[in-house]
């Protein structure tokens, strides 16, 4: 029995590894093609989150760079979240998910595979909302819709039967005007489901600010006569192992690893920049190497939800 279970578990990890590698290979090929069209890579220095900076995701190369750095780590985080939802059995109906600021829809991929692995006999209906028209969308054969729309142009949510509303690393990326409009949309929506799960997957560096916004949204639902079961002023993180090391993504999904050949690309591509070559194989500015050599997420150290 144990050997059979382990074999199935390993094969499942291999299925997810193949899915992730295929995605990453396609994105890295496109990223490299975009790089080859540029002489210098200075533009990519604008890809940063410090001091409340948000990259311009309308630029295709920024979408690719984002996914190459974060796709496996965020996939595993959302997979863990959706698996927890399944195991908690709080909602036993089909899941009708609204993902606000969905990006490429990584959380849909995670939900799809979490359902398969947990043999959860329910359907997924997924709606992704984002102001940016992201590439690499994949519905994973689920009933999925993408709304390329600006929240500022909405008066309420597009439907009232959602039972999961998730903010995948997005709740802190709305400017004040847009966030106020989001709250107005929620306030104007007459939800029909008795149980609704709200999820905010946050950037750890700004978790306190994100939690504050999340609490404002939960307060709106309480004003609609919903009762909050969780303390919405607290959030979950992954603590380190007993040996002091962070949990790896392969600790959550067996055999799932960040593709090493793509990690090499993501951390060394700057060496093909014409500015780097013309400057005696040295970065033109001190910040270039610090920014471009940052490792992609391969552990659960940045999980906060």
């Amino acid at each position: 029995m144990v050997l059979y279970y382990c074999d199935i578990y390993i094969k499942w990890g291999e299925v997810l590894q193949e899915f992730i590698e295929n995605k990453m290979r396609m994105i890295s090929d496109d990223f490299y093609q975009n790089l080859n069209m540029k002489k210098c890579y200075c533009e990519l220095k604008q890809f940063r989150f410090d001091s409340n900076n948000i990259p311009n995701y309308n630029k295709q190369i920024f979408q690719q760079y984002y996914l190459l750095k974060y796709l496996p780590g965020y996939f595993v985080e959302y997979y863990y979240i959706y698996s927890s939802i399944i195991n908690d059995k709080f909602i036993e109906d089909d899941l009708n998910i609204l993902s606000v600021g969905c990006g490429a829809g990584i959380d849909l991929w995670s939900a799809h595979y979490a359902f398969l692995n947990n043999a959860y006999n329910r359907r997924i209906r997924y709606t992704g909302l984002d102001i940016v028209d992201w590439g690499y969308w994949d519905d994973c054969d689920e009933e999925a819709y993408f709304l390329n729309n600006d929240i500022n142009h909405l008066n309420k949510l597009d439907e009232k039967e959602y039972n999961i509303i998730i903010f995948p690393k997005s709740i802190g990326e709305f400017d004040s005007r847009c966030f106020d409009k989001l709250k107005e949309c929620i306030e104007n929506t007459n939800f029909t489901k008795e149980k609704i799960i709200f999820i905010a997957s946050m950037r750890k560096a700004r978790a306190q600010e994100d939690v504050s916004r999340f609490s404002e949204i939960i307060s709106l639902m309480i004003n609609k006569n919903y009762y909050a079961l969780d303390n919405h002023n607290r959030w979950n993180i992954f603590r380190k192992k007993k040996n002091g090391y962070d949990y790896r993504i392969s600790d959550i999904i067996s055999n799932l690893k960040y593709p090493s050949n793509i990690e090499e690309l993501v951390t060394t591509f700057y060496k093909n920049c014409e500015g780097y070559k013309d400057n005696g194989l040295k970065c033109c500015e001190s910040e270039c190497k610090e920014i471009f050599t940052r490792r992609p997420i391969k552990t659960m150290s940045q999980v906060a939800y």
Side-chain angles (χ1 to χ4, degrees):
M1 289 292 290
V2 173
L3 290 175
Y4 177 76
Y5 173 80
C6 289
D7 182 53
I8 293 296
Y9 194 69
I10 290 171
K11 286 182 179 178
W12 178 248
E14 291 174 354
V15 167
L16 293 183
Q17 183 71 29
E18 182 180 8
F19 174 80
I20 293 294
E21 285 191 354
N22 287 340
K23 288 288 183 192
M24 299 287 281
R25 188 181 305 113
M26 175 173 51
I27 296 165
S28 64
D29 287 347
D30 293 344
F31 180 66
Y32 212 91
Q33 193 172 40
N34 266 331
L35 288 178
N36 287 338
M37 296 170 63
K38 300 177 182 293
K39 290 185 177 181
C40 294
Y41 306 156
C42 298
E43 178 185 25
L44 282 170
K45 289 191 297 183
Q46 300 169 23
F47 185 95
R48 55 198 310 162
F49 297 95
D50 59 321
S51 303
N52 294 319
N53 285 303
I54 303 296
N56 182 2
Y57 298 125
N58 286 299
K59 296 181 178 182
Q60 189 181 61
I61 196 168
F62 279 23
Q63 294 184 21
Q64 293 157 356
Y65 196 32
Y66 176 93
L67 292 170
L68 289 175
K69 289 172 75 70
Y70 302 121
L71 193 162
Y74 289 171
F75 176 90
V76 173
E77 177 179 348
Y78 305 147
Y79 178 93
Y80 181 85
I81 291 171
Y82 280 114
S83 295
S84 298
I85 289 172
I86 293 168
N87 293 328
D88 286 346
K89 298 180 180 178
F90 177 69
I91 293 178
E92 297 185 347
D93 300 331
D94 295 338
L95 296 192
N96 191 356
I97 303 168
L98 172 65
S99 181
V100 184
C102 64
I106 298 175
D107 63 302
L108 167 61
W109 310 341
S110 300
H112 169 78
Y113 281 104
F115 271 45
L116 288 181
N117 191 34
N118 288 277
Y120 192 60
N121 190 25
R122 296 289 185 273
R123 293 188 306 155
I124 296 174
R125 186 181 189 278
Y126 177 98
T127 302
L129 172 63
D130 206 298
I131 191 173
V132 175
D133 187 6
W134 279 73
Y136 310 104
W137 178 262
D138 186 340
D139 62 15
C140 289
D141 295 324
E142 301 287 357
E143 183 183 358
Y145 308 91
F146 175 65
L147 303 180
N148 179 207
N149 210 335
D150 185 346
I151 290 173
N152 288 306
H153 299 158
L154 304 178
N155 292 314
K156 60 182 179 179
L157 301 183
D158 66 304
E159 67 167 89
K160 55 190 179 182
E161 296 185 351
Y162 292 118
N163 54 17
I164 292 184
I165 298 178
I166 182 171
F167 298 90
K169 307 295 180 186
S170 60
I171 198 168
E173 296 196 349
F174 308 116
D175 61 33
S176 297
R177 176 171 171 266
C178 185
F179 182 65
D180 286 341
K181 189 63 177 178
L182 172 63
K183 291 190 293 181
E184 182 183 317
C185 289
I186 291 173
E187 202 166 21
N188 292 340
T189 302
N190 295 317
F191 295 97
T192 59
K193 292 297 184 180
E194 181 181 347
K195 298 177 180 179
I196 305 176
I197 296 175
F198 279 78
I199 308 160
S201 173
M202 303 170 291
R203 296 196 188 282
K204 212 169 183 180
R206 65 171 190 229
Q208 194 63 59
E209 295 84 353
D210 287 4
V211 165
S212 178
R213 283 191 163 188
F214 189 65
S215 294
E216 290 184 51
I217 290 173
I218 298 304
S219 294
L220 292 175
M221 297 304 294
I222 291 173
N223 290 338
K224 288 176 171 288
N225 295 321
Y226 280 89
Y227 178 76
L229 296 179
D230 294 329
N231 183 342
H232 46 276
N233 291 308
R234 302 180 65 182
W235 62 92
N236 300 297
I237 62 171
F238 266 77
R239 301 193 182 280
K240 293 182 182 295
K241 300 180 183 179
K242 291 182 179 179
N243 60 12
Y245 290 101
D246 291 314
Y247 283 91
R248 299 166 299 177
I249 59 176
S250 58
D251 291 322
I252 308 305
I253 300 178
S254 179
N255 280 14
L256 183 63
K257 297 178 181 178
Y258 189 101
S260 57
N261 61 320
I262 294 177
E263 181 177 2
E264 178 74 11
L265 164 68
V266 171
T267 55
T268 62
F269 72 87
Y270 70 93
K271 294 181 180 180
N272 292 319
C273 173
E274 291 299 324
Y276 178 86
K277 293 177 182 178
D278 292 344
N279 196 39
L281 300 183
K282 290 187 289 187
C283 291
C284 305
E285 299 178 16
S286 58
E287 66 175 350
C288 290
K289 188 171 183 179
E290 192 275 326
I291 292 172
F292 294 148
T293 57
R294 289 175 185 163
R295 297 286 173 182
I297 292 180
K298 298 187 294 182
T299 71
M300 305 298 285
S301 62
Q302 297 304 307
V303 171
Y305 69 94

